[in-house]
């Protein structure tokens, strides 16, 4: 019996210790936090991250403030920022469950520093409150920083130029003959050489329309050039100017088009591509490089082997040999069976 009594006393003693410990812990939460001040500063930019946002708090009882995420960060969007606020529970501060409803309203928060708009909040435990705010739209409110003010032809060369838009990362450019769109290109430059396309489509009245983009966000309007009248008399003057015009995406059709570009061959896990001196690259088009003709697909990668022109329907063979990789083959038999002429065209 004595042994059982000793065990019972030990159990009771342990229970008392645990009970008193629980009471002591509960009584340590004696300073509820029912309002929070947050000072928020940020660098607003496309692709911004949590490191671009700094949040602090001088509210009594707040231990740490952490920016846990930022989303919706592309140009033209309003970033959403989630912030976690931790109470200094070691010093008796906590977020009381009785105040949970208050902590889910904007009235519980005061924001200083850069402009933000309250979105939502919630108490997640005695220790944490999560608050979400929205920042202003990335880019100007009226999108004027994506305005292209002027588009003009450079004489009779077939080269078109336009004013730079402040926030533009690229431009979409359309060549029209009459009311029909003949070519659409994308470029990072502020000029483009349409001489090859005009030589292909011949005489007529041409205009160009340009729209600026910041990432995938486009300006409100297209800016149109004046009309360029191409006749039999001035068609021969439409020869372009490689020193001023860039090209990244094109719909011209013939490897006999004139022009050379200085730049550098680049390679990634997908394949080879050519970076021009102005950091543009050709897509869906031929480009003459160091005396040879190369064709680049819709993604800008060099094509090898047999290739049928999407414009003329003619077949060309682009070398698969390491020494001349991608270069258009001329005046020779391919695979001992197919003859390509001086223009690189397969003839039956």
């Amino acid at each position: 019996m004595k042994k059982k009594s000793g065990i019972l006393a030990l159990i009771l003693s342990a229970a008392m210790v645990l009970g008193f410990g629980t009471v002591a812990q509960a009584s340590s939460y004696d300073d509820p936090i029912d309002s929070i001040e947050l000072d928020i500063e940020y660098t607003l930019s496309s692709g911004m991250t949590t490191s671009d946002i700094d949040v602090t708090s001088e509210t009594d009882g707040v231990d740490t403030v952490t920016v846990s995420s930022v989303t919706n960060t592309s140009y033209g969007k309003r970033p959403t920022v989630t912030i976690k606020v931790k109470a200094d529970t070691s010093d008796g501060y906590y977020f009381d469950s009785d105040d949970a409803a208050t902590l889910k309203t904007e009235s519980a928060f005061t924001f200083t520093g850069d402009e933000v708009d309250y979105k939502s909040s919630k108490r997640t435990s005695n220790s944490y409150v999560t608050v979400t705010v929205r920042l202003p739209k990335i880019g100007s409110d009226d999108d004027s920083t994506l305005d292209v003010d002027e588009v003009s032809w450079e004489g009779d060369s077939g080269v078109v130029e336009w004013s730079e838009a402040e926030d533009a990362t690229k431009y979409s450019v359309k060549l029209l003959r009459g009311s029909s769109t003949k070519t659409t290109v994308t470029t990072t430059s502020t000029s483009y050489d349409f001489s090859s396309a005009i030589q292909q489509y011949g005489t007529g009245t041409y205009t160009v329309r340009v729209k600026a983009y910041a990432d995938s966000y486009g300006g409100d309007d297209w800016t149109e050039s004046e009309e360029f009248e191409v006749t039999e008399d001035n068609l021969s003057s439409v020869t372009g100017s490689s020193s001023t015009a860039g090209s990244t995406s094109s719909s011209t059709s013939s490897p006999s088009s004139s022009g050379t570009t200085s730049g550098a061959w680049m390679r990634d896990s997908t394949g080879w591509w050519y970076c021009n001196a102005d950091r543009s690259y050709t897509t869906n088009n031929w480009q003459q490089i160091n005396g040879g003709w190369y064709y680049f697909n819709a993604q800008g990668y060099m094509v090898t082997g047999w290739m049928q022109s999407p414009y003329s329907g003619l077949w060309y063979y682009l070398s698969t040999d390491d020494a001349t990789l991608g270069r258009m083959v001329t005046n020779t038999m391919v695979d001992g069976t197919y003859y390509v002429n001086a223009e690189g065209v397969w003839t039956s």
Side-chain angles (χ1 to χ4, degrees), residues 141-155:
D141 290 336
D142 59 3
D143 295 331
S144 62
T145 54
L146 288 179
D147 285 350
V148 176
D149 295 327
E150 184 180 357
V151 182
S152 59
W153 293 98
E154 189 178 292

Side-chain angles (χ1 to χ4, degrees), residues 290-302:
N290 297 328
W293 284 100
Y294 298 81
Y295 193 87
F296 299 90
N297 65 18
Q299 289 72 45
Y301 289 102
M302 179 182 69

Side-chain angles (χ1 to χ4, degrees), residues 45-208:
S45 62
S46 178
M48 64 188 299
T49 65
T50 55
S51 63
D52 297 311
I53 306 167
D54 183 47
V55 185
T56 58
S57 178
E58 294 186 0
T59 301
D60 289 342
V62 170
D63 184 18
T64 59
V65 181
T66 306
V67 179
S68 58
S69 69
V70 55
T71 59
N72 219 34
T73 61
S74 58
Y75 191 97
K77 300 293 183 66
R78 296 189 63 189
T80 300
V81 181
T82 301
I83 303 165
K84 292 186 72 173
V85 182
K86 183 180 183 300
D88 187 1
T89 54
S90 65
D91 209 19
Y93 292 95
Y94 71 109
F95 298 114
D96 194 343
S97 59
D98 292 339
D99 293 327
T102 301
L103 292 167
K104 293 178 75 172
T105 65
E106 184 177 2
S107 61
F109 298 89
T110 301
F111 301 106
T112 61
D114 293 335
E115 177 186 354
V116 300
D117 289 326
Y118 171 87
K119 182 181 179 184
S120 64
S121 59
K122 62 180 179 179
R123 170 191 174 276
T124 56
S125 68
N126 281 351
S127 303
Y128 287 98
V129 162
T130 300
V131 58
T132 302
V133 297
R134 281 182 176 159
L135 309 187
K137 184 176 75 170
I138 299 174
S140 67
D141 290 336
D142 59 3
D143 295 331
S144 62
T145 54
L146 288 179
D147 285 350
V148 176
D149 295 327
E150 184 180 357
V151 182
S152 59
W153 293 98
E154 189 178 292
D156 289 344
S157 66
V159 174
V160 67
E161 299 176 316
W162 54 90
S163 61
E164 182 177 7
E166 181 179 342
D167 286 346
T169 58
K170 61 184 177 182
Y171 301 89
S172 183
V173 189
K174 293 182 177 182
L175 175 71
L176 294 85
R177 186 177 66 170
S179 60
S180 176
T181 299
K182 294 299 184 182
T183 299
T184 301
V185 303
T186 301
T187 181
T188 58
S189 179
T190 55
S191 63
Y192 197 87
D193 184 354
F194 281 113
S195 59
S196 296
I198 293 173
Q199 289 289 346
Q200 176 190 354
Y201 295 114
T203 59
T205 302
Y206 290 87
T207 54
V208 168

Side-chain angles (χ1 to χ4, degrees), residues 10 12 24 27 82 88 94 203 210 224 229 232 261 265 292 343:
L10 181 63
L12 290 172
S27 64
T82 301
D88 187 1
Y94 71 109
T203 59
V210 180
E224 185 168 303
E229 190 70 31
E232 292 292 346
T261 308
W265 283 104
E343 298 296 324

